[in-house]
């Protein structure tokens, strides 16, 4: 048998074997090595070209290259087919049955304290106030001194806090935001009406009614001819918004360094009906307020002989405890989903 006939015969045998590889790509690789490797039958046949005449060698060499190319092309196509079949089998094995009922993803909701804060923000925005936020790491100047609390003032003891340096501290109230805003507000443009919600810190022992970290929403209104009546009307609107219009408030004289006169504000524990006798009303203290002290205005560069106003500070934590009957403030910070989901806004 001539070399030409052997090459043609080997080509047919190899193509047939390649076509019959149905297992995997590894088996196909073994076929390629067996046929096209250095020890394969085609290489063995080509070694006999040394016995050919110079005229015969070009034709046999060209035929051998054609055979190699045909086998390599067949192997490449077969590999693509095998890989496609393997992928199809894998996908079929791992197919998800989309007709099965899915697992519903539980939707979250704002924290109950955030709900209280957002309710207050919405109400005050509707009353023409602006929402102003400030740094929680604050200067002593803004946290105390500009609130009429000099370094030797005894009232500082009630707001002992966490100091980073002698002049830098974790704010004890959101009042510093008011002081900063007062410094920059242009009263030629209009009055200042703002609330400043945020976290505050005090060196306190955590128990059912106290926390070293809690929230405040403080309000400030500065303009000409602002009266205590404006303050009471504002706070009554807040009480009605959070607790219902059948609740009432009362003001009791008190003392705060940054307001004069100052008041404690109580809200009726139960509904006040038209025939309720005053002696039958139960009251609970909810916030402090008063008319802004002239010293606070002077330190911010505002003339107290021209401008005046009121300020108040309330705690969303305390309001939430009253509104929902929560007995331990620590429940708000434990991240217990069983507790928090009770306050679903959707009801």
């Amino acid at each position: 048998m001539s070399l030409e006939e052997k090459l043609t015969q080997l080509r047919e045998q190899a193509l047939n074997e390649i076509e019959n590889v149905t297992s995997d790509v590894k088996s196909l690789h073994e076929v390629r090595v067996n046929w096209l490797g250095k020890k394969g039958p085609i290489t063995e046949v080509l070694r006999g070209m040394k016995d050919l005449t110079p005229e015969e060698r070009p034709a046999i060499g060209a035929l051998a290259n054609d055979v190699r190319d045909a086998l390599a092309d067949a192997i490449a196509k077969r590999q693509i087919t095998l890989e496609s079949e393997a992928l199809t089998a894998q996908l079929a094995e791992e197919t998800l049955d989309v007709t099965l009922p899915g697992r519903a993803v539980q939707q979250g909701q704002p924290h109950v304290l955030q709900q209280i804060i957002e309710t207050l923000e919405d109400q005050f925005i509707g009353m023409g106030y602006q929402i102003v936020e400030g740094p929680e790491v604050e200067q002593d100047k803004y946290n105390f001194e500009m609130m009429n609390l000099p370094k030797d003032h005894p009232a500082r003891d009630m707001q002992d806090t966490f100091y980073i340096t002698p002049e830098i501290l974790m704010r004890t109230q959101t009042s510093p935001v008011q002081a900063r805003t007062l410094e920059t507000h242009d009263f030629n443009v209009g009055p200042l009406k703002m609330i400043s919600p945020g976290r505050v810190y005090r060196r306190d022992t955590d128990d059912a009614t106290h926390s070293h970290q809690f929230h405040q929403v403080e309000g400030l209104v500065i303009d000409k001819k602002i009266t205590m009546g404006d303050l009471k009307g504002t706070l009554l609107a807040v009480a009605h918004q959070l607790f219902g219009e059948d609740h009432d408030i009362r003001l009791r004289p008190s003392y705060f360094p940054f307001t004069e006169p100052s008041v404690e504000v109580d809200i009726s524990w139960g509904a006040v009906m038209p025939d309720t006798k005053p002696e039958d009303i139960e009251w609970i203290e909810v916030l402090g307020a008063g008319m802004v002290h002239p010293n606070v205005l002077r330190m911010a560069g505002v003339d107290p002989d021209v401008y005046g106003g009121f300020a108040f500070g309330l705690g969303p934590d305390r309001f939430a405890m009253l509104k929902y009957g929560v007995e331990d403030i620590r429940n708000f910070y434990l991240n217990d989903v069983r507790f928090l989901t009770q306050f679903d806004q959707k009801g």
Side-chain angles (χ1 to χ4, degrees):
M1 183 181 296
S2 66
L3 288 179
E4 183 178 357
E5 292 173 335
K6 279 188 177 183
L7 286 171
T8 302
Q9 184 182 29
L10 291 173
R11 174 185 176 181
E12 296 303 321
Q13 291 176 356
L15 290 175
N16 185 58
E17 187 172 341
I18 292 168
E19 188 64 28
N20 289 328
V21 175
T22 58
S23 53
D24 53 33
V25 175
K26 182 178 179 181
S27 299
L28 184 65
H29 177 69
E30 293 175 355
V31 170
R32 184 185 66 79
V33 172
N34 291 338
W35 283 99
L36 300 178
K38 293 180 179 180
K39 297 181 180 180
I42 294 178
T43 302
E44 186 68 26
V45 170
L46 292 178
R47 288 196 180 101
M49 289 182 62
K50 66 181 183 297
D51 299 327
L52 298 177
T53 64
E55 292 78 10
E56 294 175 322
R57 287 176 185 170
I60 297 301
L63 177 60
N65 288 334
D66 289 343
V67 171
R68 283 180 175 276
D69 291 344
L71 297 185
D73 184 59
I75 290 171
K77 291 180 179 179
R78 189 59 184 160
Q79 180 174 340
I80 293 174
T81 300
L82 291 175
E83 290 175 347
S84 177
E85 291 174 352
L87 178 60
T88 301
Q90 180 182 0
L91 292 175
E93 183 179 348
E94 299 177 359
T95 297
L96 296 176
D97 186 353
V98 296
T99 63
L100 291 174
R103 294 188 181 96
V105 178
Q106 187 174 1
Q107 185 174 358
Q109 65 189 44
H111 192 280
V112 56
L113 298 181
Q114 186 62 33
Q115 294 179 32
I116 295 288
I117 292 172
E118 290 178 357
T119 298
L120 291 169
E121 288 179 344
D122 289 344
Q123 180 182 14
F124 279 105
I125 289 173
M127 295 165 65
Y129 286 61
Q130 59 177 316
I131 312 297
V132 186
E133 296 182 348
E136 296 178 16
V137 180
E138 187 54 274
Q139 298 179 40
D140 183 279
K141 168 188 173 182
Y142 289 104
N143 193 82
F144 287 127
E145 293 182 29
M146 292 192 67
M147 290 294 104
N148 203 30
L149 283 159
K151 292 188 183 299
D152 58 352
H153 200 292
R156 283 198 180 206
D157 293 342
M158 297 185 296
Q159 296 190 24
D160 193 11
T161 186
F162 303 94
Y163 282 84
I164 299 172
T165 72
E167 297 298 326
I168 303 295
L169 49 82
M170 303 300 293
R171 67 182 181 186
T172 63
Q173 52 199 355
T174 55
S175 301
V177 183
Q178 300 176 0
R180 290 176 176 274
T181 307
L182 265 176
E183 279 188 324
T184 59
H185 185 77
D186 184 358
F187 285 95
N188 292 320
V189 176
L192 173 59
K193 298 173 67 178
M194 61 169 286
I195 62 169
S196 50
R199 285 184 293 269
V200 298
Y201 305 85
R202 295 185 186 178
R203 186 182 162 280
D204 212 339
T205 301
D206 289 13
D207 57 27
T209 57
H210 298 85
S211 174
H212 66 279
Q213 171 189 301
F214 54 99
H215 296 78
Q216 272 193 347
V217 175
E218 296 196 37
L220 177 69
V221 173
I222 302 295
D223 197 8
K224 299 175 181 178
K225 300 181 180 179
I226 298 295
T227 69
M228 184 71 79
D230 298 316
L231 170 61
K232 183 175 182 179
T234 300
L235 298 179
L236 183 61
V238 171
H240 287 171
Q241 175 69 28
L242 287 177
F243 300 103
E245 295 192 1
D246 53 357
H247 287 261
D248 200 0
I249 65 171
R250 72 175 183 183
L251 310 184
R252 291 181 292 107
S254 186
Y255 168 75
F256 299 110
F258 30 82
T259 54
E260 180 61 39
S262 303
V263 294
E264 296 282 1
V265 182
D266 303 333
I267 187 171
S268 61
W269 182 246
V272 178
M273 308 307 292
D275 57 348
T276 303
K277 297 179 180 179
E279 60 269 21
D280 293 333
I281 301 176
E282 294 185 63
W283 301 94
I284 185 167
E285 178 187 324
V286 293
L287 61 93
M291 305 305 291
V292 178
H293 199 291
N295 289 347
V296 173
L297 296 174
R298 289 192 189 96
M299 284 185 283
V302 179
D303 187 350
D305 294 328
V306 178
Y307 293 97
F310 63 78
F312 60 86
L314 58 88
D317 310 57
R318 182 173 229 179
F319 272 34
M321 292 178 73
L322 292 174
K323 183 177 178 67
Y324 298 113
V326 177
E327 297 181 353
D328 195 324
I329 193 174
R330 291 169 292 191
N331 289 327
F332 293 129
Y333 305 107
L334 294 179
N335 295 326
D336 189 334
V337 176
R338 295 169 300 177
F339 171 79
L340 296 175
T341 51
Q342 298 178 72
F343 310 102
D344 189 343
Q345 287 180 309
K346 299 185 291 296

